[in-house]
Every structure is written in structure tokens, then in C-alpha cells.
Amino acid sequence: MRRRVLPFDIWLCLALAFLISMGTGKVAQVVAQTQYEKAAEKHQPIAGEIGGPAGETLVRAQSVEELLSHDTFTVVSPGIEFRNRGGGYYEGKYFHALTLPSGELVAAWINSDSIQEEGGNDYYSSDKILPVGRLVYVDLEENQTFLDQIEYSEPLSRHDFYVDMVGETAMLAEDQVNEVSTLLTQLITIVIFAPIFHMIGSKLGLWPAYFVSKKKKEPQWE
């Protein structure tokens, strides 16, 4: 098989563009960090609202029936039981298989930042008051891949809704935002600057130009 190797001038221009991209990537990271902090302020969990810490008077739902009969609620989970039944990804969001006190199992999207300890300070044994939640009615059976994941050990009790305990507090992870912004900026920088460096080099006669404009010959009349 014939191997194709990029010429030295292309490698050099790409290397120079990459050096420039290191600088633009740093700038993009600083800008992304600032923008993330501003967005994080707007998405801070608010006590009593969906995804925020649950208040003392909020209904502690014991069963699916109680979930269905209240607009908002919370669930008290013993220890880290809410994490122990597995989970799966639905529309890019990670859902836990949440066990209700009744023993019923439902899919729940949970904001871990708003979970409160109750009856002790031990993370593994003390009860967890989950964030304020609500029901979102969807047909989970339309996403069989998700059901295969979350029902790996035990089937859900209902497939016609999930519990939303995140609401407007949802945000991408900070490191993910910074990484995407940095890589995208670096890629754009390389795409722009590599051809510019090659054009400059060809103008200086360091290497031949890849694209040469051809002038049209004027017709000659006898």
C-alpha cells in the first residue's frame, strides 16, 4: 500500500498554527470560566423550588400514589439507597432508579447538590432528604436503550413518567464546558492560521504555493 506523507511545509505551518492555538485556547478558557460563573449564579438551587433543597413542610412521598397526588414533593432515602439500584441515560441526562419507601421503583433525575442529611452525618447510613421534585409525564418505553440500562437489576414500577428533581438548576459540568470551549477555539485557530502561514511562506519563496490563480488569455484577432 502506498503511504502518503504530508510535505515538510505543511507540517511546519500546522506546528506554528498549533503554537498560536495554545494562546487562544488559554484565552477561551478564561472567557468560558467567567461565563460559566455568571450562568452558575442564575442556576443556583432555590429552597422550595424544583431541584432545590426541600423544606420541612414539603410532602415526603411514600408511594407512587402520593407522587401522583401532589404537584411537588420530596422523598427520604435511607443512606445511599437512591444510588444503589443503578441508572441510565435518558435524553443526555443520568437517571437513578429511585426506591420509594413503599418499595416501588421509579426513574428520577436528581440534583445531588441539594440533597440534605437527616438523622446523622454519616454519608452512607444517614437518611437523605432528596431535592424538591415533580412528575414529568413521558413514555419511557420509547427509549428501550434507557430501560435496558436502568432496569438492569429490577424493573421500574411505572413507565409513563419520571421524577424531575433538577428543574432549572441543570448545567453542564464546569470542566466539560472549559474543555469544549478550549478545543473548539484551538481547532478554529489552526484551520485559520495554517493556510495563512503557508501563504506567507510561499510569498517569501520558502516553498511553492498550492493554489495558483490562472489568468485567462485574451483572445487574439488576426
Side-chain angles (χ1 to χ4, degrees):
M1 183 181 289
R2 195 174 178 184
R3 296 180 61 185
R4 294 180 177 273
V5 180
L6 288 176
F8 171 76
D9 54 325
I10 297 296
W11 282 114
L12 180 59
C13 292
L14 287 173
L16 293 173
F18 177 75
L19 291 176
I20 298 294
S21 74
M22 297 297 287
T24 57
K26 285 291 184 183
V27 173
Q29 190 172 4
V30 172
V31 173
Q33 176 72 25
T34 302
Q35 295 300 320
Y36 185 88
E37 291 174 356
K38 291 181 180 179
E41 292 179 3
K42 296 179 181 179
H43 290 265
Q44 281 293 321
I46 300 175
E49 295 190 5
I50 305 301
E56 294 181 0
T57 59
L58 187 65
V59 173
R60 268 64 172 162
Q62 302 291 311
S63 63
V64 167
E65 182 179 355
E66 290 193 1
L67 296 181
L68 295 170
S69 59
H70 294 85
D71 293 331
T72 59
F73 49 79
T74 185
V75 175
V76 178
S77 176
I80 56 172
E81 174 68 19
F82 69 98
R83 293 182 181 272
N84 290 341
R85 295 299 182 91
Y89 284 93
Y90 180 79
E91 296 183 347
K93 300 172 289 194
Y94 188 77
F95 284 69
H96 292 284
L98 173 63
T99 304
L100 301 175
S102 63
E104 295 167 295
L105 208 64
V106 295
W109 186 29
I110 303 171
N111 177 15
S112 58
D113 293 335
S114 295
I115 296 174
Q116 303 171 82
E117 301 276 353
E118 183 178 61
N121 296 319
D122 185 80
Y123 175 76
Y124 296 98
S125 62
S126 61
D127 289 346
K128 303 295 183 297
I129 304 173
L130 301 184
V132 179
R134 64 179 175 184
L135 293 187
V136 176
Y137 292 93
V138 294
D139 184 1
L140 297 178
E141 293 182 359
E142 292 181 351
N143 191 328
Q144 189 58 46
T145 301
F146 168 66
L147 288 181
D148 290 342
Q149 292 174 346
I150 199 168
E151 295 186 331
Y152 178 75
S153 61
E154 189 176 349
L156 298 175
S157 300
R158 297 284 291 260
H159 289 166
D160 58 337
F161 66 77
Y162 68 79
V163 178
D164 176 12
M165 291 183 166
V166 176
E168 297 301 319
T169 66
M171 286 187 66
L172 289 173
E174 184 176 356
D175 56 348
Q176 185 178 357
V177 172
N178 290 341
E179 183 178 351
V180 171
S181 299
T182 300
L183 290 177
L184 183 60
T185 301
Q186 287 180 321
L187 178 61
I188 293 174
T189 300
I190 292 173
V191 170
I192 292 175
F193 277 87
I196 290 177
F197 283 135
H198 196 275
M199 181 183 66
I200 293 173
S202 64
K203 293 288 186 181
L204 296 175
L206 300 177
W207 46 68
Y210 272 102
F211 300 100
V212 180
S213 60
K214 294 183 179 180
K215 294 182 179 180
K216 292 183 178 181
K217 293 184 178 179
E218 296 181 2
Q220 296 180 355
W221 302 94
E222 294 184 358

